[in-house]
Amino acid sequence: MTDRFRDKILPVTAILLAIVAAWYVGAYMLNAPFQRDLDRRAGETPTFSEFVVKTMTQPKPTLPAPHQVAVNFYENTFLRSVTSARSLVYHSWVTLSSTLAGFAMGTLLGIVIAVGIVHVTTLDRSLMPWIITSQTIPILALAPMIIVVLAAVGITGLLPKALISTYLSFFPVAVGMVKGLRSPDAIHLDLMRTYNASKAETFWKLRLPASVPFLFASMKVAVAASLVGAIVGELPTGAVAGIGSKLLSGSYYSQTIDMFAALVAGSVVAVLLVTAVGLTGRIVERAMGARPA
Amino acid sequence: MSGLRVSWQGGLAALLALAALLMLPIAEPSAGGPSVTAAILLLVALAIAVDAAPAGTMVRAAALLVGAHAGVYLLLGDLGSVNGAARGAFYLLLVSCWLLAWRLVSVLSSIRAASRTGEVALRLVIPFLFGVWILVLWEAIVRGAGIPFVLLPPPSAIAARIGNSLPILAADVNQTIFKAVLVGYVMGCGAGFLAAIAADRFVFMRRGLLPVGNMVSALPIIGVAPIMVMWFGFDWQSKAAVVVIMTFFPMLVNTGAGLAASGHMERDLMRTYASGYWQTLFKLRLPAAMPFIFNALKINSTLALIGAIVAEFFGTPVVGMGFRISTEVGRMNVDMVWAEIAVAALAGSVFYGVIALLERAVTFWHPSIRGG
């Protein structure tokens, strides 16, 4: 326990504190010129400590101080009713729902592609290079067009955003699952052959169980990617709802504090999602009899 | 015994071609007339027959190649310039040609190339055929079914648009890729690399920075784009700043992991040579970390493009790929958008390819490159 404290918790906390401290210094330095300008116009000559406090309390600072973001985040998360359009919970929920829809479709698609690649030689040789190429296409740049085009056909709301998330999240799953489905040793595959197991039996009883750790490792990457997809997908929807639209409207009105609070909300969602996938993975692996590494 | 062996793709293709024969014409109005229809059916039949005959692999592959591609070329030509002219026979023959192409790919996959060059050529040809057929199907369905241009332009129109607006595309690429992406990429990767080495020098820093870096890598960092645009203005500097932030953390985490990758034995060996920290770093640990570093460079090549283009949605001067995409979407010039996307995809692939080639040159000793 003390080892864990000394080797992990202490250094991480120290680094986080250092980041917060650097943030404060940065907030002072970035906000100072504007504040100096304000003071000169008002004809005030504040002392240094007064001046520092002023740089930390501007309503639209260049870089908001951490406590300003924290207060804004707290107010918009806990003090507002969750149905209010100002509530971050509401916006996070909108983003989360399309993230999850896209993540589910992407994972499914990735698994199907991986199964196809492992079992059909033609697919293996023709599809794999294109899967890699598909990710060099900056799909996020396509996002606005997908949304606009689908809206023209009459598909709006959750699905277009989820499709972008799907595109981003199928890739890690497909690559990870191909690796996982091929991970059984030759000796195990030979054993299945001596049992006269069919291809399907080998798949269900050997390949699939062997691929589970790979699946969850790549799902962690995929869920983070599909959150990014959902956020960017919200940008062109005309700032209706979601973390992405909150960022966009913040940038229109220079409400930096709101933007940072939205970023914090997005980060919280990301951490929760990755943790949830990680925990599920651990539970599943334990239920399948994996020894703790 | 040299009987006929019909593959399932060939058999199905023959059935579909027969069905198409009963459902003629291919298109209404048909640009080529009955002679073209006869030529297509003949090509398909010939390819199926040669494939089923006891011929050599190369002969069969050649017949399939010609049959499938000349067939589909004539098929597309028969549509003429009228949108939505396709009838049932068109789609049946299209699928039939596609099945022949599939058969071609499986014939090619079964070839065991004798030489290295042959092996490499095969490895390039098979995915190339796949890409060609995606474009062919796209073109055929869009033009055959008459899908509105605004929704999805056919590849031929996109290619024509690329050809017509090369100067605009070049200016956009120059603004987005050569200014924002490259500058940001070099700075971000460099900073991440140096930070990882600095963190590696102190155990305390390493233990603290790596988990934090890992967590930050999962965050939607792209969200800082509007803030950077606000800080650094509309020109490429703000896009480069987004790219720096996006590429920093993957590099930090991967280099950190890579520096820990050299084995105890090797490090002990370096100690018996009485080598100092820097000697060990440059002669053992950095080379051992190279696979990890290149992994980060590859991930970052995509991230950098995405970061720069998305950041342009929040405000730019009137040039740049992201700017062009968002304005042309608004003006419903979808072919220009697709042209821009094609260029972005090409740039991304070239970027990735260059890094992959560099990786092969630098980490020639790694098992995944040596193929053992």
Side-chain angles (χ1 to χ4, degrees):
Chain A
M1 197 60 214
T2 49
D3 276 356
R4 189 181 157 74
F5 178 76
R6 203 189 59 214
D7 291 346
K8 190 139 193 200
I9 298 174
L10 192 63
V12 171
T13 323
I15 293 289
L16 288 177
L17 283 179
I19 290 175
V20 170
W23 187 346
Y24 268 112
V25 174
Y28 167 73
M29 301 216 308
L30 282 170
N31 296 335
F34 181 62
Q35 189 61 41
R36 227 169 264 141
D37 208 36
L38 280 182
D39 286 347
R40 207 187 52 242
R41 276 184 216 171
E44 290 174 4
T45 46
T47 63
F48 179 71
S49 59
E50 278 172 355
F51 183 72
V52 170
V53 170
K54 277 185 176 176
T55 60
M56 303 286 166
T57 49
Q58 292 175 359
K60 287 183 179 182
T62 314
L63 173 61
H67 67 264
Q68 285 178 300
V69 177
V71 167
N72 184 296
F73 180 74
Y74 176 78
E75 278 177 359
N76 287 331
T77 309
F78 298 106
L79 302 187
R80 310 215 182 271
S81 79
V82 288
T83 51
S84 143
R86 294 195 60 186
S87 165
L88 279 174
V89 179
Y90 166 72
H91 289 290
S92 300
W93 169 247
V94 170
T95 305
L96 185 69
S97 52
S98 54
T99 304
L100 288 180
F103 174 60
M105 292 195 289
T107 308
L108 209 65
L109 181 65
I111 294 175
V112 168
I113 289 179
V115 171
I117 284 180
V118 169
H119 285 100
V120 184
T121 331
T122 315
L123 280 184
D124 176 28
R125 304 203 54 170
S126 54
L127 198 55
M128 204 56 194
W130 286 104
I131 289 184
I132 293 168
T133 314
S134 78
Q135 298 301 305
T136 65
I137 299 172
I139 179 70
L140 290 180
L142 264 163
M145 213 197 48
I146 296 176
I147 306 264
V148 170
V149 164
L150 287 181
V153 204
I155 304 174
T156 47
L158 191 79
L159 194 63
K161 289 188 277 174
L163 281 180
I164 293 164
S165 298
T166 307
Y167 188 92
L168 284 177
S169 56
F170 93 90
F171 174 70
V173 174
V175 172
M177 278 302 275
V178 167
K179 225 179 207 170
L181 291 172
R182 290 202 173 132
S183 66
D185 293 332
I187 196 168
H188 294 139
L189 287 169
D190 284 347
L191 182 66
M192 292 305 272
R193 203 162 309 137
T194 62
Y195 289 160
N196 193 23
S198 67
K199 247 186 171 178
E201 279 170 327
T202 315
F203 176 76
W204 289 112
K205 299 199 168 145
L206 176 60
R207 286 187 189 272
L208 198 64
S211 70
V212 166
F214 291 85
L215 174 65
F216 279 99
S218 44
M219 270 164 72
K220 267 195 210 170
V221 181
V223 82
S226 76
L227 178 64
V228 173
I231 290 180
V232 176
E234 281 158 2
L235 293 179
T237 53
V240 184
I243 292 173
S245 72
K246 194 85 179 141
L247 280 173
L248 193 67
S249 64
S251 89
Y252 282 159
Y253 304 112
S254 305
Q255 286 161 333
T256 33
I257 304 182
D258 275 358
M259 285 160 79
F260 271 91
L263 272 184
V264 171
S267 309
V268 170
V269 173
V271 169
L272 286 181
L273 284 174
V274 173
T275 318
V277 172
L279 277 181
T280 318
R282 212 176 293 169
I283 291 169
V284 169
E285 276 168 40
R286 195 166 296 166
M288 287 175 58
R291 276 158 293 174
Chain B
M1 177 63 199
S2 56
L4 291 182
R5 277 177 302 121
V6 180
S7 62
W8 69 265
Q9 291 103 335
L12 199 56
L15 279 181
L16 288 172
L18 276 182
L21 196 58
L22 300 176
M23 289 176 64
L24 289 174
I26 291 175
E28 245 170 24
S30 162
S35 58
V36 171
T37 310
I40 296 170
L41 285 168
L42 204 66
L43 276 166
V44 170
L46 208 65
I48 297 170
V50 174
D51 177 45
T57 316
M58 286 322 254
V59 178
R60 287 193 300 163
L64 286 167
L65 182 73
V66 173
H69 296 90
V72 87
Y73 179 77
L74 290 177
L75 202 56
L76 284 174
D78 200 38
L79 283 179
S81 55
V82 185
N83 263 342
R87 294 290 168 268
F90 175 82
Y91 296 106
L92 289 176
L93 283 174
L94 181 67
V95 175
S96 170
C97 285
W98 175 65
L99 282 169
L100 289 181
W102 185 340
R103 176 69 191 147
L104 169 64
V105 169
S106 32
V107 168
L108 287 178
S109 302
S110 65
I111 296 179
R112 290 278 159 267
S115 64
R116 248 185 94 81
T117 3
E119 182 68 27
V120 172
L122 267 184
R123 209 183 292 162
L124 290 178
V125 164
I126 294 174
F128 177 75
L129 282 178
F130 188 84
V132 165
W133 271 91
I134 289 184
L135 292 182
V136 165
L137 291 178
W138 176 354
E139 176 94 23
I141 291 172
V142 166
R143 276 181 45 199
I147 293 174
F149 190 80
V150 180
L151 286 188
L152 194 64
S156 53
I158 298 169
R161 169 58 78 174
I162 294 180
N164 286 338
S165 37
L166 280 178
I168 298 179
L169 290 172
D172 290 346
V173 166
N174 182 39
Q175 167 80 12
T176 304
I177 294 183
F178 290 112
K179 288 182 184 165
V181 170
L182 279 187
V183 172
Y185 184 76
V186 170
M187 281 170 62
C189 291
F193 180 71
L194 293 179
I197 289 186
D200 183 68
R201 196 84 173 89
F202 308 100
V203 180
F204 188 78
M205 280 261 284
R206 185 172 67 222
R207 287 190 180 137
L209 210 51
L210 287 188
V212 174
N214 251 326
M215 195 196 76
V216 175
S217 300
L219 301 184
I221 302 184
I222 192 85
V224 298
I227 297 165
M228 290 298 132
V229 172
M230 210 178 279
W231 286 4
F232 293 100
F234 279 2
D235 211 350
W236 61 269
Q237 288 87 347
S238 58
K239 284 79 201 176
V242 176
V243 175
V244 168
I245 299 178
M246 284 186 74
T247 52
F248 176 81
F249 289 99
M251 194 67 188
L252 172 71
V253 171
N254 275 290
T255 311
L259 286 175
S262 57
H264 269 291
M265 292 276 273
E266 289 90 345
R267 259 182 270 179
D268 284 347
L269 182 66
M270 290 306 274
R271 200 167 308 138
T272 61
Y273 289 159
S275 57
Y277 170 81
W278 294 105
Q279 279 174 321
T280 316
L281 184 69
F282 281 113
K283 302 210 161 130
L284 168 65
R285 299 179 62 212
L286 276 184
M290 277 304 157
F292 292 83
I293 293 173
F294 272 102
N295 188 24
L297 286 175
K298 280 182 185 166
I299 298 173
N300 281 345
S301 70
T302 328
L303 283 181
L305 262 182
I306 290 178
I309 293 181
V310 172
E312 286 183 355
F313 295 159
F314 291 96
T316 62
V318 289
V319 64
M321 302 173 88
F323 164 80
R324 194 76 56 203
I325 290 175
S326 51
T327 48
E328 298 294 334
V329 163
R331 292 163 58 188
M332 286 292 169
N333 284 339
V334 203
D335 53 345
M336 188 64 195
V337 177
W338 280 98
E340 205 69 63
I341 287 162
V343 170
L346 184 69
S349 307
V350 169
F351 200 173
Y352 189 94
V354 166
I355 292 167
L357 282 181
L358 266 180
E359 182 181 22
R360 288 183 81 87
V362 173
T363 61
F364 57 89
W365 46 269
H366 196 262
S368 66
I369 307 284
R370 281 185 306 165

